[in-house]
Amino acid sequence: MKIVVIGATGTIGAPVVEALAARHEVIRASRHGRPAIDIDDPASIAAFYRELGVGSVDAVVCAAGAGRFRPLEELTDEDFAFSFASKLMGQINVVRRGIPHLRDNGSFTLTSGVLAQKPAPGSGAIAPVNAAVEAFARAAALELPRGLRINVVSPPWVRETLQKLGRDPAGGLPAADVARAYVAAVEGRQNGAVIDPAALA
Ligand SMILES: NC(=O)c1ccc[n+]([C@@H]2O[C@H](COP(=O)([O-])OP(=O)(O)OC[C@H]3O[C@@H](n4cnc5c(N)ncnc54)[C@H](OP(=O)(O)O)[C@@H]3O)[C@@H](O)[C@H]2O)c1
């Protein structure tokens, strides 16, 4: 398969690329990559797909999209607007603009996160974004044409991320285990599923 991974250099995206590249051709995309894409910018998404061409790939994986983590009373209008524009609308637009560029029976795999189901203090903006990504995928799965599929991976805290944050990594799942859920979504037959990598590990 020919597979686009958006967020290819990230903590999650890099092991996803590594796992997929063993069996597939992978196009590594991000804001600073080649090809470049900024999912926060609809014009950048359109330009990215224009360059790829119509019906040119079998799968698009998105392991990118930002949200603001901050105490509820400190979250500003801009924090909410940013989080919804990046992680939610960014991924929705990757799907909306991407449909003509996927070959028949291709797939989209998006990213939500554990905070959708198990919010923590500080997740007032990001928890609803994650939940909405999952709701979008369930709804879109009912309507995608030509056998296209869409699924969401909902990562728990990743061990390497907790390490970077100076927190106890013991409660995190290794990024390589998280990556296996993306591979399962791309290579499997699920549609409209939310995949918990901890359940596969
Ligand atoms: N790590 C965790 O513990 C964890 C847990 C649950 C959910 N998640 C979710 O998983 C996703 C990836 O997280 P991560 O920890 O792997 O992030 P990360 O290490 O910061 O990597 C982000 C990746 O996405 C790219 N990127 C960032 N903004 C982008 C944009 N606007 N358009 C296109 N590419 C962009 C980055 O490269 P460039 O800088 O070149 O663009 C990089 O390749 C996020 O949505 C995050 O909320 C992460």
Side-chain angles (χ1 to χ4, degrees):
M1 281 190 264
K2 188 169 174 183
I3 303 167
V4 172
V5 176
I6 303 171
T9 55
T11 310
I12 292 175
V16 170
V17 167
E18 196 181 328
L20 289 171
R23 288 190 289 280
H24 307 285
E25 180 187 350
V26 178
I27 298 170
R28 298 157 167 83
S30 70
R31 286 170 307 183
H32 305 98
R34 286 285 168 273
I37 181 171
D38 181 352
I39 68 164
D40 301 0
D41 175 5
S44 168
I45 296 173
F48 174 82
Y49 279 127
R50 222 172 14 249
E51 208 166 303
L52 272 187
V54 170
S56 55
V57 293
D58 298 289
V60 174
V61 171
C62 186
R68 299 262 167 77
F69 201 81
R70 195 162 286 169
L72 183 60
E73 289 179 280
E74 292 175 20
L75 279 168
T76 64
D77 290 350
E78 199 273 327
D79 288 329
F80 279 96
F82 172 83
S83 305
F84 277 73
S86 180
K87 189 166 180 179
L88 177 58
M89 284 316 302
Q91 295 198 93
I92 287 178
N93 287 333
V94 163
V95 174
R96 292 173 61 229
R97 302 281 180 232
I99 291 170
H101 301 270
L102 281 192
R103 295 176 182 145
D104 293 356
N105 305 311
S107 71
F108 295 99
T109 305
L110 307 183
T111 300
S112 62
V114 63
L115 295 168
Q117 312 300 334
K118 292 184 188 152
S123 64
I126 194 73
V129 162
N130 285 342
V133 170
E134 296 173 4
F136 168 74
R138 288 192 187 98
L142 304 175
E143 293 188 53
L144 284 174
R146 298 184 286 110
L148 302 185
R149 302 179 295 112
I150 179 169
N151 297 288
V152 178
V153 174
S154 176
W157 280 105
V158 175
R159 185 168 296 173
E160 290 84 345
T161 300
L162 291 174
Q163 256 154 1
K164 274 181 215 157
L165 295 172
R167 291 173 49 182
D168 179 7
L173 195 66
D177 290 344
V178 174
R180 289 221 293 271
Y182 290 84
V183 176
V186 171
E187 295 182 345
R189 295 306 311 154
Q190 310 98 302
N191 190 23
V194 175
I195 303 168
D196 174 2
L200 297 183

